[in-house]
Amino acid sequence: MIISALLTSAGINIGVCALLLSLYSILRKQPANVNVYFGRRIAEEHNRLRDAFVLERFVPSPSWILKALQYTEEEILAVAGLDAVVFLRIVIFSIRIFSIAAVVCVFGILPLNYFGQEMEHRKIPSESLDVFTIGNVVERSRWLWVHCLALYIVSCSACVLLYFEYKRVSKLRLIHVTRSGPNPSHFTVLVRGIPKSTEESYDETVTNFFTKYHASSYLSHQIVFKAGKVQKMLTGAKKVYEKFMHVKHTVIEKRCKAGVYRCGLCGCSSNSFRLIRTSFDQNGKKIDTGSSDPSIREHEECGASFVFFKTRYGALVASEILQTWNPMHWVTELAPAPDDVYWSNLWVPYRLLWMRRIATLLLSIVFMFVFLIPVTFVQGMTQLDKLQQRLPFLKGILKKRFVTQIVTGYLPSVILQLSLYTVPPMMMLFSTMEGPTSRSGRKRSACCKVLYFTIWNVFFVNVLSGSVISQINILSSPKDIPAQLAKAVPSQATFFITYVLTSGWASLSSEVMQLFGLIWNMIRKYILGWEEDPTAVLTFPYHTEVPKLLLFGLLGFTCSILAPLILPFLLIYFFLGYVVYRNQIMNVYCTRYETGGLMWPIVHNTTIFSLVLTQLICLGVFSLKESPVAAGFTIPLILITLLFNEYCRKRFHPLFKSFCAQDLIDMDREDEQSGKMEEIHEHLHTAYSQFPHSTDGVNINDESSEERASSSTQSNGSVKELSHPTLRGLPIARLQKAVKTVCLVVSLQKKDLSV
């Protein structure tokens, strides 16, 4: 790729960004779009803008940028929670480290790469991008020590910044735990793998176990019922079968009446019999038809329970220790927050979780191999000579200069980016199948899967399929991998620059525009005529944005020494992202649950991986360039980075795995002295309510209970269940009411037939 092709791609993306940002500054002022661009504020205030004509509404303005920069970290923490602050710390860390790398590498390494060998340079627009990479440096060059020195500066700066960020986030997490209000999850333990007994129910088993072994700290418990989507289908099928059997028995009772035969002397009945319905089924088990609690009749207990303890310390001790000699029974962990509980997975048997995880791992691997098809196609577009050989009819079209610049500089990254849009939904589905008990845990698991997937497909597969396969045998010994990457990464650095332009700049513009939400809002408002629901607000997509930031960080580290030209484009992305994400967090997205900063260990580990990978690639490059001094000094740097990671893992990571006993005991004593402990204990029973009180007594024969259930679903269910924009505004409550009305009519008709 030449400089003019890169400039063409940059010009297209700059034009797209400018257009989308200008449209955003206009559309955000329109009253009809207030629920799209100010969803969080509308959910809190329930107000609307005046529908008056003002000329200022139709003029692009940068006022939203200034407002986004005016928010302080304390305001963001109070409004969006700790996860949002940690996410913005990732952006700030990236801006700091790549600013240092840009100063060192652009002004120190880029000239050395450009004049790395004696050659006749052309004009800059016609110059190839390869002359700006380390591949243009001749072997045994005496200037390779500068590259090694720059690698030391970047690596040491990254480690220092990582240390202070890890320390800061750890402090914020401790403040979040100690200074926030009473959290029911601190007193609650989720127990799974409760052994099934034929003599007593799960409820009695839990009561007997914890009153015997945790008598001093045990308070009460709440059994979890099978209420997942699959269980609802099974329950519905069971009800249909019972109704069918009821109709069948009714027909038999009508037909099998006593037959009367007259003999002339007396009227006596002969061959008379009657089928009497008993309270036993065909297997001889008694049918329970007189349970007083409708929720017990409707749902079945499962081997999981929320166990409440009197103190935070008691709950922590119970969650950390092994309860029995069988690790598969009485498995305990601190319960997620009430708003964070993912009820659909609680009834999944604990013994099946490992099978689910293996299945999702295999599915992820299969999906990863299927995704190789678009990646290979994209790499074929970056190599015009091979593309013309396989598709001869394109030779005439590709001779045009502008078409060549578009094909090599813009289309490959666009096609790859469009293909990557299918990854987050699939990984979220796989994470749901694993059986997480919290929504934040599901999103964190999806974040890791998306991160691994994008690093493998965007970096490794592009590098290996683009140059290594065509030059050397990829199936060689593992010790040659650094040398293979050393040959491949500099040649693919041009593609990574265009990928930053397309996937970075353009994606931020589309994020701030909310194109899908804007289109759906117009369809819902002007075509379908549905009313606006201020409570149906999306949560921040951490599982897509965190992997994107970390992937760009990986590209920045690996290319900073080998191809420094990527650093200015990365800095523009991170600066623009800092403004866009602050605006989206404060105005668009709503925080319903959070992890308490648990995303940061993923960020730290990925950054360390990026640093070590960069050092290994540089080691291979220095070996290929026959520079023993630079290669020899790189080995200690790798060891120092690994030792630094081990220190941080021992120093900070335990704070993210569990809570401090000292802090919990102090909080317990403070609540006991202030008299808040009894109030907290009373709140525990209602915090983890699986079935709302308004819907507990729902009966198909009770019309008033249907209305209460419908109103409850309409007011509460839209926030937690209808989180996707395609579901916002759907009349779910009306559909449920209509279905229940039909069931009511059918049941009344059956009663008339039975009478």
Side-chain angles (χ1 to χ4, degrees):
M1 183 188 298
I2 60 178
I3 292 292
S4 59
L6 176 63
L7 295 178
T8 301
S9 177
I12 293 175
N13 285 281
I14 291 174
V16 171
C17 291
L19 176 63
L20 292 180
L21 293 178
S22 300
L23 288 176
Y24 167 72
S25 64
I26 296 174
L27 294 174
R28 69 190 296 270
K29 304 174 187 177
Q30 311 307 315
N33 302 326
V34 67
N35 63 325
V36 178
Y37 298 114
F38 298 94
R40 187 196 63 81
R41 292 191 174 185
I42 293 300
E44 292 180 354
E45 302 174 5
H46 295 275
N47 60 355
R48 293 294 186 271
L49 297 178
R50 294 182 297 106
D51 195 8
F53 179 83
V54 181
L55 181 61
E56 194 269 338
R57 285 168 35 197
F58 301 94
V59 178
S61 63
S63 60
W64 66 275
I65 299 178
L66 300 177
K67 292 180 181 179
L69 294 175
Q70 290 175 356
Y71 296 119
T72 63
E73 186 175 277
E74 289 74 16
E75 292 176 346
I76 297 175
L77 181 63
V79 171
L82 182 57
D83 287 341
V85 174
V86 170
F87 179 81
L88 292 177
R89 298 306 303 180
I90 303 174
V91 182
I92 295 174
F93 166 79
S94 302
I95 292 175
R96 289 175 176 175
I97 184 58
F98 290 117
S99 297
I100 298 174
V103 172
V104 173
C105 298
V106 172
F107 295 101
I109 294 180
L110 194 62
L112 295 179
N113 293 341
Y114 186 73
F115 298 102
Q117 56 182 334
E118 296 181 0
M119 58 180 297
E120 183 179 354
H121 292 283
R122 294 175 290 182
K123 294 182 179 180
I124 295 297
S126 302
E127 196 72 83
S128 175
L129 287 177
D130 294 334
V131 301
F132 296 97
T133 66
I134 199 173
N136 195 50
V137 180
V138 297
E139 297 180 358
R140 299 181 181 179
S141 175
R142 59 178 181 174
W143 295 107
L144 286 174
W145 67 269
V146 180
H147 295 76
C148 183
L149 178 62
L151 179 63
Y152 262 87
I153 294 175
V154 173
S155 300
C156 294
S157 301
C159 291
V160 172
L161 291 176
L162 268 181
Y163 173 80
F164 285 108
E165 290 294 338
Y166 216 153
K167 184 178 181 180
R168 182 182 180 86
V169 174
S170 301
K171 184 178 180 180
L172 289 175
R173 176 174 168 81
L174 291 177
I175 295 175
H176 171 74
V177 172
T178 56
R179 297 185 182 179
S180 59
N183 192 343
S185 62
H186 294 167
F187 295 85
T188 309
V189 172
L190 176 61
V191 182
R192 308 179 75 181
I194 302 174
K196 189 174 183 180
S197 176
T198 57
E199 300 178 355
E200 55 186 8
S201 62
Y202 284 118
D203 185 79
E204 296 173 345
T205 302
V206 173
T207 302
N208 295 335
F209 181 85
F210 282 94
T211 53
K212 182 177 181 180
Y213 298 105
H214 297 272
S216 59
S217 58
Y218 170 70
L219 180 64
S220 62
H221 71 276
Q222 179 176 311
I223 290 292
V224 177
F225 296 92
K226 295 181 179 180
K229 296 180 180 179
V230 178
Q231 184 62 29
K232 289 180 181 179
M233 296 173 61
L234 295 176
T235 304
K238 184 178 180 181
K239 290 181 179 180
V240 171
Y241 174 75
E242 292 177 353
K243 292 180 180 179
F244 173 76
M245 295 301 296
H246 175 70
V247 173
K248 183 177 179 181
H249 286 304
T250 303
V251 173
I252 292 176
E253 289 178 358
K254 281 189 172 184
R255 293 180 178 178
C256 299
K257 291 184 178 180
V260 179
Y261 298 91
R262 299 184 182 278
C263 61
L265 298 176
C266 62
C268 62
S269 61
S270 61
N271 298 330
S272 62
F273 65 92
R274 183 181 300 272
L275 295 178
I276 306 298
R277 295 182 62 189
T278 65
S279 59
F280 294 88
D281 61 5
Q282 296 178 356
N283 297 327
K285 296 181 180 180
K286 188 173 182 179
I287 302 175
D288 185 13
T289 60
S291 179
S292 59
D293 191 355
S295 63
I296 300 299
R297 295 199 308 264
E298 296 283 340
H299 305 282
E300 182 182 355
E301 293 181 349
C302 66
S305 174
F306 288 103
V307 180
F308 309 120
F309 289 83
K310 299 177 182 178
T311 60
R312 299 176 179 87
Y313 180 73
L316 178 64
V317 172
S319 64
E320 294 292 338
I321 63 176
L322 193 65
Q323 301 296 327
T324 61
W325 60 270
N326 188 352
M328 300 297 289
H329 288 168
W330 300 103
V331 182
T332 56
E333 60 177 331
L334 283 177
D339 295 333
D340 194 20
V341 177
Y342 195 70
W343 294 98
S344 300
N345 283 340
L346 290 182
W347 67 275
V348 178
Y350 183 79
R351 63 181 182 276
L352 299 180
L353 292 181
W354 68 274
M355 299 176 62
R356 283 173 167 247
R357 290 167 183 166
I358 293 177
T360 54
L361 177 62
L362 296 177
L363 290 175
S364 302
I365 294 175
V366 171
F367 183 65
M368 189 176 298
F369 278 103
V370 172
F371 200 80
L372 292 177
I373 299 175
V375 175
T376 306
F377 177 74
V378 164
Q379 283 302 320
M381 297 182 66
T382 60
Q383 302 175 0
L384 289 181
D385 52 346
K386 295 184 179 180
L387 188 62
Q388 292 176 357
Q389 292 177 2
R390 297 180 180 179
L391 302 174
F393 63 90
L394 294 178
K395 291 183 179 180
I397 301 176
L398 295 178
K399 289 181 179 179
K400 298 180 180 180
R401 184 177 179 182
F402 180 74
V403 175
T404 302
Q405 294 175 355
I406 292 293
V407 171
T408 59
Y410 185 70
L411 285 183
S413 55
V414 171
I415 295 175
L416 182 60
Q417 179 62 24
L418 293 177
S419 303
L420 286 174
Y421 278 128
T422 62
V423 176
M426 292 297 298
M427 295 306 168
M428 182 63 77
L429 176 63
F430 294 157
S431 299
T432 304
M433 294 172 57
E434 282 184 345
T437 59
S438 63
R439 299 179 184 274
S440 61
R442 180 184 62 161
K443 187 169 288 189
R444 192 166 64 253
S445 176
C447 175
C448 294
K449 290 181 176 60
V450 175
L451 176 63
Y452 300 152
F453 187 92
T454 52
I455 289 178
W456 169 254
N457 282 280
V458 175
F459 183 78
F460 287 102
V461 174
N462 271 286
V463 167
L464 298 178
S465 65
S467 58
V468 177
I469 291 180
S470 59
Q471 296 177 9
I472 58 177
N473 185 10
I474 195 175
L475 299 177
S476 58
S477 59
K479 65 181 182 180
D480 297 331
I481 291 179
Q484 296 175 4
L485 293 175
K487 291 182 178 180
V489 173
S491 62
Q492 291 299 316
T494 56
F495 169 76
F496 293 144
I497 295 176
T498 59
Y499 181 79
V500 170
L501 292 174
T502 304
S503 179
W505 295 10
S507 64
L508 287 176
S509 303
S510 61
E511 165 65 28
V512 76
M513 267 290 293
Q514 294 287 303
L515 291 176
F516 186 83
L518 183 65
I519 295 173
W520 172 246
N521 178 65
M522 293 180 179
I523 294 175
R524 181 184 60 185
K525 191 171 183 179
Y526 298 107
I527 298 179
L528 301 178
W530 293 346
E531 297 180 356
E532 298 179 359
D533 186 5
T535 59
V537 185
L538 295 176
T539 58
F540 191 85
Y542 292 106
H543 64 293
T544 61
E545 302 307 313
V546 171
K548 188 180 299 182
L549 291 177
L550 296 179
L551 173 65
F552 287 144
L554 173 67
L555 298 180
F557 282 118
T558 53
C559 297
S560 59
I561 308 298
L562 308 180
L565 198 60
I566 196 177
L567 294 176
F569 300 99
L570 267 180
L571 276 178
I572 294 175
Y573 165 76
F574 285 120
F575 277 115
L576 182 61
Y578 181 72
V579 177
V580 169
Y581 287 131
R582 287 171 70 93
N583 177 78
Q584 301 299 93
I585 288 173
M586 295 300 293
N587 295 323
V588 179
Y589 296 108
C590 182
T591 302
R592 303 193 188 114
Y593 50 85
E594 60 177 338
T595 64
L598 292 182
M599 289 289 183
W600 186 257
I602 301 175
V603 177
H604 176 85
N605 294 333
T606 306
T607 306
I608 293 296
F609 170 78
S610 302
L611 286 174
V612 174
L613 179 63
T614 302
Q615 295 160 5
L616 289 175
I617 294 175
C618 290
L619 177 63
V621 171
F622 296 151
S623 300
L624 292 176
K625 296 296 181 179
E626 299 181 4
S627 177
V629 176
F633 275 96
T634 305
I635 296 176
L637 183 60
I638 299 175
L639 299 177
I640 292 173
T641 305
L642 294 176
L643 289 176
F644 167 76
N645 179 54
E646 184 65 19
Y647 170 77
C648 291
R649 192 177 68 86
K650 297 292 186 181
R651 171 63 178 83
F652 299 112
H653 188 61
L655 299 176
F656 292 82
K657 294 178 61 178
S658 183
F659 298 115
C660 304
Q662 179 182 3
D663 295 335
L664 296 184
I665 293 174
D666 292 339
M667 294 169 65
D668 289 334
R669 290 176 179 174
E670 182 179 353
D671 290 336
E672 289 177 355
Q673 293 175 0
S674 61
K676 296 181 180 179
M677 194 62 76
E678 295 182 359
E679 181 181 353
I680 295 175
H681 291 169
E682 294 177 357
H683 179 63
L684 292 177
H685 296 278
T686 58
Y688 290 92
S689 178
Q690 186 174 4
F691 308 107
H693 295 289
S694 59
T695 59
D696 281 348
V698 175
N699 195 327
I700 61 174
N701 296 326
D702 187 1
E703 185 176 1
S704 61
S705 63
E706 294 173 6
E707 297 177 355
R708 291 194 300 270
S710 176
S711 62
S712 175
T713 304
Q714 186 175 2
S715 61
N716 298 331
S718 59
V719 177
K720 297 183 179 181
E721 298 297 332
L722 307 181
S723 58
H724 198 274
T726 56
L727 297 179
R728 283 190 287 175
L730 291 178
I732 302 298
R734 298 179 183 177
L735 294 177
Q736 291 179 345
K737 187 174 181 180
V739 172
K740 292 179 179 179
T741 304
V742 173
C743 294
L744 179 62
V745 173
V746 172
S747 62
L748 292 176
Q749 290 179 353
K750 291 179 180 179
K751 287 185 177 181
D752 295 338
L753 291 175
S754 61
V755 175

